[in-house]
Amino acid sequence: MALPINEQETIELKALGIGLYFQTGRNEVRIDRLSLDQKRHNLTETIVEVYEYQKWSALLIDWKASRSVTVRLPSKDGAGNSLEISLGKHQQVQPLFDPSKEDTFPWPCGTFLYEVEIGGQTYYGAVRIIPHHFSKKQFNRIAEYLEEALDGLTTNYYQDVSLSLSPEQLMGESDLLFSRWLDRSFRKLTIALDWIEKENQMNVRRHYQAESHPGRMDRQSVKWEHSFKGAVMSGTKFYNRKHRHDANLPDNQLVKFRTKAILKRMDTLIQTLEQERLVFMDEQEKLKSEIRQIQSDRRSPLHHVTSRDQTLLKNKQISKEKTQEAHGLKISGMDQMLQKVKSYRQQLRYVIRQGFWNDVDDVHPRVPRSVQSRGYISFHKLWHELEESGGRKTSPSTPSKGSPLFHSTGKMYEYYTLLTVVQLITERGFSFKKDTLLGQLQKGYLHSELQGGTTIVLENENGELHVVYEQELEHRSRDAIANGTYFFSKFRRKKPDIRIDYYKKQEDVSLYHSSIAVEVKYSPLRNIYSPDGNTKAAEQMNEYVGIKYYCPIRKSFYNRIREVLCVYPGSRAEPVLLDTEAGKFVQLYPTEDGAVGMEALGAVLDGWLDPEVW
């Protein structure tokens, strides 16, 4: 059965007798079509939207047969393998995400690729993940807020490098259009050239040649014999009539001229791809060297003492290996494309250098004839399609990167809360110590993520505030002292999302005073707080009270977690600040005028920093 393929090279599932749906929450999103390839212009026709943190399943309805369908999405853990589910007559629905069983939505907001296999043929689609607890406007405000602080902070680097759709994204628009035209039209082009050659078998031209033996004679031959030259050669030379195929006609000259232009365009495309490939090959060599150096550093005894350094090195190695893997896939894709274009070029060169076309001048004739035979009509139609597509001429163009793949909204909300806390502190007269906010963020920034332990230091005339992001505390005080971090906890949960440490100046020495622990939850209040008993979030908050500090100047231990906060998006139906035995639950989310929760968080900071309180 012929596939229902439209001009965009996509298939309509309804025409195949298949209904494929994504069930998101209480809604069913029908997948109308899928792409035959991974080209972006085709994939945009397939995009469907799914909300994060809502129950998500895949549903199959097969009206014509009992076929099985396989759906592959990026793996939940971000690894290179894919999450694969099978749908069929006996298993029409398969869950992808269940909020009752999983706390964190595993895919990032943004658009990414998935595959559908039907009858041994693989098709492609795109799914866009929409934030659930924020509106699109709120999500965009958060993204803009983060990007203003540090360019690239919203992008999910691991997903972005591993889910790139194809090497075609690295090509300029003109190269991409030309490549598509070749895939679609090359066979038609060679057929048209073959037709033209066969049609020219009928084109013969009469001419005469003086020869030593008599041949075909006509009136022109007799006339020549009675001329002065003919009389001189009488009996020794005969003016014979000849017929030969005439290939070097204006219409053939135009065809060859344009064919040579196509070959030249192929040369340019191949050169571009080879240059792009060399760039990635150089990057691969650099990455190999960097990975070897990191592995050497991790084995060094100097790094066995500090667990934080070991974690940072491990994160660096993982990110480099992810990048190396992604570059390898892109190089492989470029190799395949190069092989395909070089094959096209070789075939076209062979055709144009054969006997018939070899006799044709590759010049643009002054007045080409308008020939209405099949071969010429087909060739010039293909040529005009190439010109109209914009793929014939090269032009400088930036690679088409498409829309970014964001971090999970939970991660972006953590960054948003961190920067909001920093903003509130600066509004209370503190300034950045020694460096700007951007400079301090960059010290803990690796591949669009803030690493655990990233610290922003602010100061005023009375002391310093250290805003620390996701620092893993040691279990034993001696390890914390050896590392120079000085914070430790005996409890199981000992890594608050944000910790704010206050150091008061006493005789020009900053001595530890106290801290606030902040847990960030991208979740509604009903999931993190219950008046009837402890939730997981409340248990975490209770354990943060056990964080202790050893002061290396006073040689003494301190247990001074003054406040434990849980920040969450919230809604207008709930109080902005809820004070409980586990700590304070504070709403925080952006609005057109600023953000809900700023005043409540500011009040907590004011009460903590008030010198009369302590």
Side-chain angles (χ1 to χ4, degrees), residues 240-465:
N240 297 325
R241 186 185 69 197
K242 297 285 185 181
H243 288 97
R244 69 179 180 190
H245 295 290
D246 190 9
N248 198 26
L249 300 174
D251 40 313
N252 292 338
Q253 290 173 359
L254 180 60
V255 169
K256 186 170 183 180
F257 178 81
R258 289 178 170 176
T259 303
K260 294 293 284 289
I262 294 171
L263 280 168
K264 187 176 180 180
R265 187 66 183 85
M266 286 183 184
D267 292 337
T268 303
L269 176 56
I270 289 170
Q271 184 180 4
T272 301
L273 288 170
E274 287 178 338
Q275 289 174 349
E276 213 45 76
R277 183 181 181 278
L278 286 174
V279 170
F280 276 92
M281 290 294 291
D282 289 342
E283 286 295 321
Q284 282 289 70
E285 291 303 315
K286 290 180 184 177
L287 285 167
K288 288 178 183 178
S289 176
E290 291 170 358
I291 290 171
R292 286 194 296 268
Q293 183 60 51
I294 293 172
Q295 290 172 336
S296 175
D297 290 344
R298 291 183 67 187
R299 290 192 296 267
S300 171
L302 295 176
H303 292 283
H304 289 170
V305 176
T306 309
S307 61
R308 177 174 176 270
D309 286 347
Q310 279 283 11
T311 301
L312 287 173
L313 285 171
K314 180 182 178 181
N315 289 341
K316 284 183 181 180
Q317 183 175 337
I318 291 172
S319 68
K320 299 288 184 185
E321 289 170 348
K322 286 272 188 181
T323 308
Q324 185 182 32
E325 180 183 350
H327 284 184
L329 291 173
K330 289 176 181 177
I331 291 170
S332 176
M334 286 181 195
D335 287 340
Q336 292 176 16
M337 188 172 291
L338 274 168
Q339 184 177 359
K340 179 177 63 178
V341 178
K342 286 180 177 179
S343 175
Y344 289 153
R345 182 179 65 176
Q346 183 179 0
Q347 292 178 59
L348 194 58
R349 278 180 176 175
Y350 177 81
V351 170
I352 214 68
R353 289 175 178 175
Q354 293 306 297
F356 171 78
W357 291 105
N358 197 43
D359 294 334
V360 179
D361 297 333
D362 56 332
V363 295
H364 196 295
R366 290 184 179 180
V367 187
R369 294 188 301 170
S370 179
V371 182
Q372 297 302 313
S373 59
R374 184 172 59 172
Y376 293 100
I377 292 173
S378 179
F379 178 89
H380 293 302
K381 180 183 177 182
L382 293 171
W383 172 263
H384 291 310
E385 286 177 358
L386 176 58
E387 281 197 317
E388 289 171 4
S389 73
R392 186 172 70 86
K393 295 182 179 180
T394 57
S395 58
S397 174
T398 55
S400 173
K401 295 181 179 178
S403 59
L405 286 168
F406 294 107
H407 286 299
S408 67
T409 319
K411 176 67 72 176
M412 290 178 63
Y413 187 57
E414 286 180 5
Y415 293 163
Y416 172 71
T417 304
L418 174 73
L419 294 176
T420 300
V421 168
V422 172
Q423 178 184 336
L424 288 168
I425 292 172
T426 59
E427 290 174 357
R428 279 148 181 79
F430 285 80
S431 58
F432 298 107
K433 183 179 180 180
K434 295 183 180 179
D435 204 344
T436 62
L437 172 63
L438 175 61
Q440 295 195 46
L441 285 174
Q442 284 179 328
K443 292 175 183 176
Y445 183 70
L446 177 66
H447 289 321
S448 78
E449 283 195 53
L450 295 179
Q451 303 300 298
T454 299
T455 302
I456 303 165
V457 181
L458 305 99
E459 65 177 353
N460 65 6
E461 66 278 5
N462 297 320
E464 295 180 1
L465 285 177

Side-chain angles (χ1 to χ4, degrees), residues 131 133-144 416 589-592:
H133 298 308
F134 290 128
S135 67
K136 289 183 180 180
K137 285 186 177 179
Q138 288 176 321
F139 182 84
N140 290 336
R141 286 193 187 100
I142 289 175
E144 290 169 4
Y416 172 71
Y589 57 88
T591 63
E592 292 184 2

Side-chain angles (χ1 to χ4, degrees), residues 86 220 322 474 502:
S86 295
Q220 187 71 17
K322 286 272 188 181
E474 298 291 353
Y502 184 25

Side-chain angles (χ1 to χ4, degrees), residues 173-241:
E173 184 66 18
S174 179
D175 286 336
L176 189 56
L177 292 170
F178 179 62
S179 175
R180 292 172 186 164
W181 179 86
L182 279 177
D183 290 339
R184 184 174 61 249
S185 305
F186 184 78
R187 185 170 179 274
K188 297 177 185 177
L189 177 66
T190 55
I191 290 173
L193 291 173
D194 185 56
W195 281 344
I196 291 172
E197 185 173 349
K198 290 177 180 177
E199 288 161 359
N200 272 268
Q201 299 297 325
M202 305 300 294
N203 292 332
V204 292
R205 187 174 64 180
R206 179 183 298 178
H207 72 101
Y208 294 87
Q209 186 173 344
E211 296 178 321
S212 57
H213 59 275
R216 292 181 179 272
M217 307 288 285
D218 59 9
R219 183 181 303 174
Q220 187 71 17
S221 304
V222 174
K223 186 177 179 181
W224 180 83
E225 286 182 352
H226 290 86
S227 68
F228 174 78
K229 189 175 182 179
V232 172
M233 298 183 180
S234 179
T236 60
K237 292 292 182 180
F238 302 91
Y239 201 55
N240 297 325
R241 186 185 69 197

Side-chain angles (χ1 to χ4, degrees), residues 51-55 97 99 103-105 132-133 408-410 522:
Y51 280 88
E52 63 170 1
Y53 284 94
Q54 290 192 353
K55 189 174 182 180
F97 172 77
D103 294 330
T104 304
F105 191 79
H132 176 46
H133 298 308
S408 67
T409 319
Y522 179 63

